[in-house]
Amino acid sequence: MKKLLLTSALAFSTLSFAQINFSNTRFGITAGGNYSRVQNAHNPSGPRYAVQAGALALIPVGKGNQFYIQPEVLYYGAGETGKDKDVKGRDGYNAVYANNYLSVPLYFKGYFSEAESEFFGMVGPRFNFLLNQNVKNAPAARPFYDPDVTDPNNPEVSGKANNFNFAIGLGIGYSYKRQLELALKYDFGVSNTYPGLAKEPNGTSKSKSEQVLSVSLSYIFN
């Protein structure tokens, strides 16, 4: 079964590439907001709100006006926050675990019809390269959540984020005259964002994967 799936994927990729029309590529700009969390990482944890912005290309596939390859290059904010209270119910700390990336998604995009204004769907891999990691107000009980702090009792434990993250992206949106487009996307993190936290005392060895829900607005030039 695995060999069949791999062969099918390779055949589809080869066929799609053979039909790509680079000469009719259009370019655009895109920006939006991100809602992100990291599974099984910081305790307690909450969402981080950040932004994304960058450029895209819309590359036709086939002879029609319905299927495209859409690569993007983005500044992409992700990560999460943490909030806790002391024994008297007062705010103990308000932490921020910010991971900012150069993100390169590669979507296969299909409009629901060849109409000028139409809904569309997107799916494809996302490659995130860490630009910087900014941790603020890490809890005193877990100083190793800050990548610049080492726990002398557990030197192998680290809050440093991975330099590379891989995700699978899904999206749906609406295009007005194939020029102004609004999209809702969900990026399901596959790789381990904080491998050094797997050895955290009383923690969990489960993968700490980053999940991002975003809304973006794009303008594609003629």
Side-chain angles (χ1 to χ4, degrees):
M1 178 61 73
K2 289 182 179 179
K3 291 183 178 179
L4 178 61
L5 291 174
L6 180 59
T7 302
S8 300
L10 289 173
F12 176 76
S13 299
T14 302
L15 181 62
S16 297
F17 185 80
Q19 298 183 31
I20 290 177
N21 186 356
F22 289 102
S23 62
N24 289 330
T25 299
R26 297 167 63 198
F27 298 93
I29 54 175
T30 183
N34 293 353
Y35 169 100
S36 62
R37 301 193 71 150
V38 184
Q39 291 182 341
N40 310 309
H42 307 103
N43 182 29
S45 66
R48 182 193 179 208
Y49 298 92
V51 298
Q52 60 170 289
L56 62 85
L58 193 63
I59 308 170
V61 177
K63 297 181 180 179
N65 190 31
Q66 196 168 356
F67 300 108
Y68 295 83
I69 299 296
Q70 182 170 306
E72 302 177 5
V73 178
L74 308 168
Y75 170 86
Y76 189 81
E80 63 180 356
T81 59
K83 182 177 289 187
D84 202 5
K85 296 182 180 296
D86 61 18
V87 292
K88 295 184 178 180
R90 298 170 300 192
D91 285 345
Y93 65 87
N94 291 288
V96 177
Y97 310 103
N99 300 326
N100 300 310
Y101 298 96
L102 173 66
S103 183
V104 184
L106 182 63
Y107 294 112
F108 177 77
K109 182 178 186 179
Y111 293 89
F112 292 0
S113 75
E114 293 193 9
E116 191 175 44
S117 297
E118 181 58 283
F119 288 94
F120 60 84
M122 310 169 70
V123 62
R126 177 182 289 274
F127 308 95
N128 290 333
F129 303 90
L130 188 69
L131 293 175
N132 58 71
Q133 179 183 6
N134 187 10
V135 176
K136 297 180 180 179
N137 303 323
R142 299 178 180 88
F144 47 82
Y145 281 175
D146 188 325
D148 296 324
V149 176
T150 301
D151 187 343
N153 298 318
N154 299 280
E156 294 183 346
V157 178
S158 171
K160 181 173 176 55
N162 232 338
N163 288 326
F164 172 77
N165 270 327
F166 177 75
I168 299 296
L170 301 170
I172 189 168
Y174 182 78
S175 177
Y176 176 70
K177 295 187 176 181
R178 301 294 178 97
Q179 195 162 36
L180 188 64
E181 299 191 343
L182 181 68
L184 176 67
K185 303 173 187 175
Y186 178 71
D187 295 314
F188 177 79
V190 177
S191 55
N192 194 342
T193 304
Y194 298 101
L197 292 183
K199 299 179 181 180
E200 177 184 353
N202 302 318
T204 173
S205 60
K206 295 180 179 178
S207 179
K208 289 89 173 62
S209 56
E210 216 159 26
Q211 317 297 322
V212 183
L213 181 67
S214 66
V215 176
S216 63
L217 185 66
S218 303
Y219 183 84
I220 302 170
F221 302 101
N222 286 325

